[in-house]
DNA sequence: ACGAGACCTACAAA
DNA sequence: ATTTGTAGGTCTC
């Protein structure tokens, strides 16, 4: 991508704590954005190619090749797509004051904003997401666009396709073709779901499930029904309707509700969130150790109680912090220098009624070199951890 | 209601 | 060099 000439670009003053595209565009919400090595994000959106770039003071946008009328509509489109209306730092403050766990994690993950994607795009993307990683999901969505979507344009040697409509995916050959393209078992899900969506009324049917407070571009807001801990009625109805589709379980349905239909209270509970719930919110102790439907709903209700109407937004902050690609931000580059095991004692110990046990205690001295990302570059330090290892060995019957 | 397998693929880690 | 595990789950017994 050519030289970044920001003078031709439009800009919106915005702080990184209000929006951080480097995080928001690659934390697994949207799978079509590309980033050039000069830090320019690009994607085909609503019939045009959109470039984005951000520094500490401004968000810059540019629509190369677009007609003047399309350029004129880019600002409202960006406001809509990037969901710039809510005051994010205010929301972070209120989530932090309600929840010490959030308060501890959030400072390193500011500016994470839920995008307002098209419902159909979110649906397709998240059907692809099962048992999968973000890189491959992105590759799959790209293949879908290149094989079935409309060509939007070519610039700087890059071609841009938009997502295919559901109607473009109802052919009998689609499932086989998608399998060839490496979709695996998700090929059937996409093909079936496309047919079902067309059957139910296409993207208009999907949009009928939207949060009326977050309508599609150009449609006037209406107020949603009253708040409940389990989510508003419209959200519950949308979730239930989506679950009828092939390849759409509770988690994918919640992703579509949150990122494609504007229901801020939707909390997708995946393996990451379930682990967070167990580790930091005392879920899964004793009974209910697995993520059953009961537990799935309980986790969502817990977070909605804690964080309120935009619980899904807060959830995404903790989710992102848990992603492998971002975990370096918590502790980056841990290198083990030395590990020493010192025998301390070895003895036999009484165990109630059971007999004698051999007990071996060792001290583990672990020296690590840790690099942490600070404001200006990296900081290196050496950490020494000492832990006691207790190994109970054979049982000796009395 | 709950649990266990199977399901496609690619790529890192052992 | 092969094998194993895992990555934003869902469906079917």
């Amino acid at each position: 991508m050519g030289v970044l000439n920001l003078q031709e670009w439009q800009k919106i003053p915005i702080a990184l704590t209000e929006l951080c595209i480097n995080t928001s565009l690659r934390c697994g919400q949207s799978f079509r954005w590309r980033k050039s090595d000069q830090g320019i994000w690009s994607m085909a959106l609503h019939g045009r190619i959109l470039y984005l770039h951000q520094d500490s003071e401004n968000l810059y946008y540019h629509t190369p090749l677009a007609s003047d009328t399309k350029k004129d509509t880019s600002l409202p489109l960006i406001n809509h797509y990037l969901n710039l209306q809510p005051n994010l730092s205010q929301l972070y403050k209120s989530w932090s004051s309600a929840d010490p766990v959030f308060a501890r994690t959030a400072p390193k993950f500011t500016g994470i904003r839920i995008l307002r994607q098209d419902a159909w795009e979110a649906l397709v993307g998240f059907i692809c997401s099962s048992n999968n990683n973000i890189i491959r999901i992105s590759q799959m969505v790209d293949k879908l666009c290149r094989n079935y979507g409309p060509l939007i344009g070519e610039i700087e040697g890059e071609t841009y396709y938009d997502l295919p409509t559901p109607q473009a995916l109802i052919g009998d050959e689609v499932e086989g073709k998608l399998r060839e393209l490496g979709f695996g078992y998700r090929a059937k899900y996409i093909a079936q779901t496309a047919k079902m969506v067309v059957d139910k009324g296409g993207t208009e049917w999907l949009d009928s499930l939207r949060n009326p407070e977050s309508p599609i571009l150009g449609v006037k807001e209406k107020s949603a029904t009253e708040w409940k801990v389990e989510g508003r009625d419209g959200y519950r109805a949308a979730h239930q309707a989506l679950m009828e589709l092939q390849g759409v379980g509770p988690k994918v349905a919640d992703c579509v509700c949150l990122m494609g239909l504007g229901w801020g209270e939707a909390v997708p509970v995946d393996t990451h969130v379930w682990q967070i719930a167990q580790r930091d919110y005392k879920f899964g102790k004793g009974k209910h150790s697995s993520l059953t439907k009961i537990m799935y709903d309980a986790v969502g209700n817990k977070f909605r109680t804690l964080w309120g109407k935009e619980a899904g937004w807060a959830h995404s902050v903790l989710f992102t912090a848990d992603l492998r690609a971002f975990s370096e931000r918590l502790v980056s580059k841990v290198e083990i220098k030395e590990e020493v095991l010192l025998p301390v004692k070895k003895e036999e110990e009484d165990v109630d009624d059971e007999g004698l046990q051999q007990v071996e205690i060792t001290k583990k001295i672990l020296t690590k070199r840790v690099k942490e990302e600070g404001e200006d570059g990296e900081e290196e330090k050496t950490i020494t951890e000492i832990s006691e290892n207790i190994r109970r060995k054979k049982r000796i019957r009395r």
Side-chain angles (χ1 to χ4, degrees), chain A residues 134-149:
Chain A
I134 293 175
I135 308 268
R136 182 153 86 110
I137 301 164
S138 304
Q139 289 167 349
M140 285 161 65
V141 172
D142 188 56
K143 282 178 183 166
L144 195 67
C145 294
R146 289 181 188 282
N147 283 275
Y148 292 99

Side-chain angles (χ1 to χ4, degrees), chain A residues 26-201:
Chain A
R26 69 184 179 102
C27 66
Q29 295 190 56
S30 167
F31 303 103
R32 285 198 298 131
W33 285 97
R34 313 173 199 174
K35 189 186 185 184
S36 77
D37 35 13
Q38 286 133 51
I40 299 171
W41 292 89
S42 63
M43 187 178 89
L45 184 64
H46 286 215
R48 80 203 67 189
I49 298 166
L50 184 61
Y51 283 180
L52 292 180
H53 178 74
Q54 187 177 23
D55 62 23
S56 57
E57 285 162 13
N58 294 296
L59 172 71
Y60 302 85
Y61 66 93
H62 182 50
T63 50
L65 307 180
S67 64
D68 287 342
T69 49
K70 280 226 165 106
K71 283 185 179 173
D72 290 343
T73 58
S74 285
L75 181 57
L77 176 59
I78 285 167
N79 272 313
H80 180 265
Y81 179 85
L82 296 178
N83 223 345
L84 295 181
Q85 229 48 254
N87 184 330
L88 196 60
S89 31
Q90 198 62 49
L91 286 168
Y92 269 61
K93 271 185 201 160
S94 83
W95 297 325
S96 293
S97 65
D99 177 12
V101 175
F102 184 91
R104 190 205 321 146
T105 310
K108 291 207 167 185
F109 296 90
T110 55
I112 298 177
R113 190 173 280 272
I114 296 295
L115 308 171
R116 254 196 262 188
Q117 302 179 70
D118 289 342
W120 170 243
E121 171 162 2
L123 180 56
V124 169
F126 289 109
I127 285 176
C128 293
S129 76
S130 78
N131 248 324
N132 212 343
N133 57 65
I134 293 175
I135 308 268
R136 182 153 86 110
I137 301 164
S138 304
Q139 289 167 349
M140 285 161 65
V141 172
D142 188 56
K143 282 178 183 166
L144 195 67
C145 294
R146 289 181 188 282
N147 283 275
Y148 292 99
L151 176 64
I152 301 303
E154 177 179 352
I155 184 160
E156 305 273 354
E158 300 262 323
T159 50
Y160 291 85
Y161 289 82
D162 209 338
L163 210 78
T165 61
Q167 287 81 3
L169 296 172
I170 57 176
D172 289 332
E173 81 295 347
V174 170
E175 181 184 340
K177 178 71 177 170
L178 293 182
R179 272 191 179 272
E180 277 176 37
L181 291 171
F183 279 63
Y185 60 84
R186 304 164 198 88
K188 185 161 81 181
Y189 295 164
I190 303 278
Q192 293 262 355
T193 288
K195 287 178 188 163
M196 294 173 86
V197 167
V198 169
D199 231 37
K200 290 168 185 289

Side-chain angles (χ1 to χ4, degrees), chain A residues 209-261:
Chain A
L209 303 174
R210 291 197 72 88
N211 178 359
E213 292 174 354
S214 175
I216 58 170
L217 190 55
V219 173
K220 222 170 106 186
E221 287 183 31
K222 283 187 265 181
S223 56
T225 55
E226 93 187 89
W227 168 255
K228 294 177 181 175
V229 185
E230 62 270 27
R232 289 165 284 189
D233 291 342
Y235 157 61
R236 296 308 319 162
H239 192 264
Q240 201 178 338
L242 290 168
M243 291 262 289
E244 289 178 14
L245 303 169
Q246 277 300 303
V248 180
K251 186 268 178 182
V252 170
D254 269 323
C255 286
V256 177
C257 283
L258 177 63
M259 299 160 204
L261 295 173

Side-chain angles (χ1 to χ4, degrees), chain A residues 232-394:
Chain A
R232 289 165 284 189
D233 291 342
Y235 157 61
R236 296 308 319 162
H239 192 264
Q240 201 178 338
L242 290 168
M243 291 262 289
E244 289 178 14
L245 303 169
Q246 277 300 303
V248 180
K251 186 268 178 182
V252 170
D254 269 323
C255 286
V256 177
C257 283
L258 177 63
M259 299 160 204
L261 295 173
W263 294 106
E265 70 262 56
V267 177
V269 183
D270 58 21
T271 52
H272 291 280
V273 176
W274 177 234
Q275 279 171 31
I276 292 166
Q278 292 178 90
R279 189 187 65 214
D280 300 331
Y281 298 92
K282 297 176 176 155
F283 274 84
K285 302 273 155 96
K287 281 265 174 259
H288 305 300
S289 60
S290 65
L291 183 51
T292 61
K293 186 182 291 185
I294 303 285
M295 283 297 98
Y296 187 99
D297 292 338
V299 172
N301 289 343
K302 165 73 180 179
F303 287 152
R304 277 184 286 273
T305 305
L306 201 50
W307 300 326
K309 211 170 151 194
E310 267 74 39
W313 290 52
H315 134 283
S316 294
V317 176
L318 297 192
F319 166 78
T320 302
D322 211 57
L323 277 180
R324 199 176 61 183
F326 291 92
S327 60
E328 75 215 18
R329 219 177 281 186
L330 294 173
V331 180
S332 82
K333 293 160 194 161
V334 180
E335 181 189 333
I336 293 174
K337 282 170 70 179
E338 203 178 10
E339 191 178 317
V340 185
L341 283 174
L342 288 180
V344 176
K345 59 177 173 176
K346 192 169 179 178
E347 62 182 29
E348 292 179 345
E349 155 183 286
D350 271 324
V351 184
D352 38 24
D353 299 346
E354 291 279 327
L356 289 173
Q357 249 185 351
Q358 273 191 347
V359 179
E360 229 178 68
I361 302 180
T362 52
K363 259 195 183 148
K364 186 160 89 178
I365 302 172
L366 191 60
T367 312
K368 297 190 292 192
R369 197 201 314 269
V370 177
K371 289 180 186 168
E372 282 184 51
E373 280 182 8
E375 292 299 309
D376 310 298
E378 292 179 343
E379 189 185 346
E380 188 172 317
K381 53 184 173 182
T382 304
I383 293 179
T384 306
E385 284 175 8
I386 301 176
S387 56
E388 244 184 12
N389 284 5
I390 302 177
R391 281 182 60 195
R392 285 175 165 56
K393 295 175 82 178
K394 307 168 198 157

